[in-house]
Amino acid sequence: MSDDFNRMSQKKINKMKRRRKVFILRILSVFITLILVTILGIIFFKIMFDKKERDKKAVEEKTTAAATTEEVASSGQAEIAEEEIEPNGDAALIDEDSWMAGKTIYNPVATDSTIHLPKADLEAFDQVISDSAGHDTSSEDAGGGSAWDTVTLQLDNVEGSINITEPGNPTKTQQLTSTYMILVDLDSDTIVAERDCEKVVSPASMTKVLTVLTARDFIDESNLDDTFVINTDITEYCRINNCSAVGFLPNAEVTVRDLLYGTILPSGADAAMGLAEYCCGDQETFVNAMNEKVKQLGLSETAHFTNVVGIYDEELHCTMKDMAVILGVAVQDDLLRDVLSLRTYTTDYSYYPSEVNGTTEQAEGAEGAEGAEPAPDEEAVSIEVSNWFLRKIEDKPMHGNVVAAKTGFVDEAGCCAVSYYEADNGKRYVCCTGNAFSSWRAIYDHVGVYRSLTP
């Protein structure tokens, strides 16, 4: 009996224990559930709060961007916010202490309104070149009888081609004959018109624009009166390669000013080489500096140079677009702008006519009689040089003025030229052309471009 009672008591105790456990478990479940609900609630409200903040920030950024865009557009600048504008290629490499740091580094781009001219029809010139024995027969005013003017008039009109008014007048009517061309609006940094402008070609003596641009890193107005002695290696290089030259004699002591202006106005190879040696000690080191400059301008993918003169080399090349950028930067500097825009220049250097091997005229690349004494009462003569392109284009009717220019010629590049133009309405342009059939055609191509495609 006692055992039965004990067993019943134990069962009741066990039953009570189970009930307490169940009660405790239920309490714990409710407590855990409340904790989970609280945590989930916190997470939910945190997500909602963050979303609200993001939406608020997005609205603020949109409002700010709209205001910025409106402000930029109203000032006539780009239609994107300034922080979104990226430097041209490697232009970010320009040191903040460089004279170029405050200049505009151009990166002209085509737009929907860019005129893409068809490639030049070279076969159209075969007969006239044969008839004229390959010579330029244009007179100064290009008036009648010129084979070049005749063939220009006979070319078929092509939609988008450049044709000036008065079709019957050879001085005012022509079609673009240069194989390569680009016209850049510097104010909007856009391409107005182009013909194969990104084809890699030889720039010939247009190279010398980069030569003086690079030299500007080493010189300024304070050392224009410094002197440099033209060595026989320079004069021999000019003679052997039949280069255009200022005409400095061997051992001539010339100023840096003579070297700068002599490099551009007569396209003097002797001046360009002297400038390179003055700046860097030798041409090779200076050429490295030229290619570094090309890299800084963001042009290194297509532009590369191997000499300071522009003598043909397969490894010396750039595009018309590259050369337009180079001139566009150069004319922003007061010193270089003056060098590139001067019509005539008289050298500080002078020589005695008797120094030139018995002749009284200074000749390109001529070697002097070493140690020759001037004749009694003989007067020293300075050299006067000129920018032929600027002198010949300045009287041509246009709606503005060609301010600065540089020409070039090698057989592989034809006649080429790059020029900077300021229109009467204040707009600024750079035109670069390559592979014209004569020096006169290069001039008239620039006249045609500026007359036809600028306001």
Side-chain angles (χ1 to χ4, degrees), residues 381-439:
V381 179
S382 298
I383 303 174
E384 185 174 292
V385 294
S386 65
N387 188 318
W388 184 85
F389 187 95
L390 291 178
R391 288 177 53 236
K392 297 304 181 184
I393 202 172
E394 62 185 353
D395 63 341
K396 305 301 181 288
M398 293 175 284
H399 306 295
N401 296 293
V402 174
V403 177
K406 180 71 191 77
T407 58
F409 172 79
V410 291
D411 289 338
E412 294 82 0
C415 292
C416 47
V418 59
S419 66
Y420 166 66
Y421 176 82
E422 292 181 350
D424 292 338
N425 64 359
K427 293 279 289 179
R428 303 171 304 123
Y429 300 88
V430 166
C431 176
C432 187
T433 60
N435 196 27
F437 289 90
S438 76
S439 54

Side-chain angles (χ1 to χ4, degrees), residues 3-13:
D3 292 339
D4 292 339
F5 178 79
N6 289 335
R7 282 196 294 274
M8 291 179 63
S9 297
Q10 187 63 39
K11 287 181 179 179
K12 287 181 178 181
I13 293 171

Side-chain angles (χ1 to χ4, degrees), residues 18-58:
R18 286 196 297 272
R19 286 178 177 176
R20 281 198 297 271
K21 289 180 179 179
V22 170
F23 178 75
I24 292 171
L25 289 173
R26 286 177 177 175
I27 294 296
L28 288 174
S29 297
V30 171
F31 183 70
I32 292 172
T33 300
L34 289 174
I35 292 175
L36 291 175
V37 170
T38 301
I39 293 173
L40 291 174
I42 292 173
I43 293 174
F44 174 77
F45 284 111
K46 180 69 168 59
I47 292 173
M48 294 301 294
F49 178 79
D50 289 345
K51 184 177 183 301
K52 185 177 180 181
E53 287 295 310
R54 287 196 301 271
D55 292 343
K56 181 180 178 181
K57 185 176 180 181

Side-chain angles (χ1 to χ4, degrees), residues 6 27 55 58 64 106 113 140 179 208 232 241 311 314 330-331 334 362 384 394 396 401 427:
N6 289 335
I27 294 296
D55 292 343
T64 302
Y106 294 104
S113 59
E140 285 196 12
T179 306
K208 296 185 180 82
T232 55
N241 291 284
I311 293 175
E314 288 185 356
V331 295
D334 290 341
Q362 180 70 7
E384 185 174 292
E394 62 185 353
K396 305 301 181 288
N401 296 293
K427 293 279 289 179

Side-chain angles (χ1 to χ4, degrees), residues 124-139 144-152 154 437-441:
F125 290 87
D126 288 347
Q127 185 60 46
V128 72
I129 291 173
S130 175
D131 292 344
S132 61
H135 299 302
D136 180 4
T137 58
S138 298
S139 61
S146 165
W148 303 107
D149 294 320
T150 301
V151 73
T152 299
Q154 289 179 345
F437 289 90
S438 76
S439 54
W440 273 107
R441 283 273 59 89

Side-chain angles (χ1 to χ4, degrees), residues 158-211:
V158 180
E159 184 178 359
S161 64
I162 298 174
N163 290 283
I164 306 174
T165 55
E166 299 183 33
N169 187 338
T171 67
K172 294 184 178 180
T173 303
Q174 59 149 349
Q175 185 182 52
L176 184 74
T177 60
S178 293
T179 306
Y180 316 109
M181 184 277 286
I182 186 171
L183 175 65
V184 176
D185 181 334
L186 296 182
D187 298 305
S188 62
D189 202 11
T190 58
I191 300 173
V192 178
E194 64 84 28
R195 171 182 276 172
D196 249 359
C197 73
E198 299 199 55
K199 183 177 178 62
V200 175
V201 296
S202 169
S205 282
M206 292 191 297
T207 295
K208 296 185 180 82
V209 179
L210 179 62
T211 300

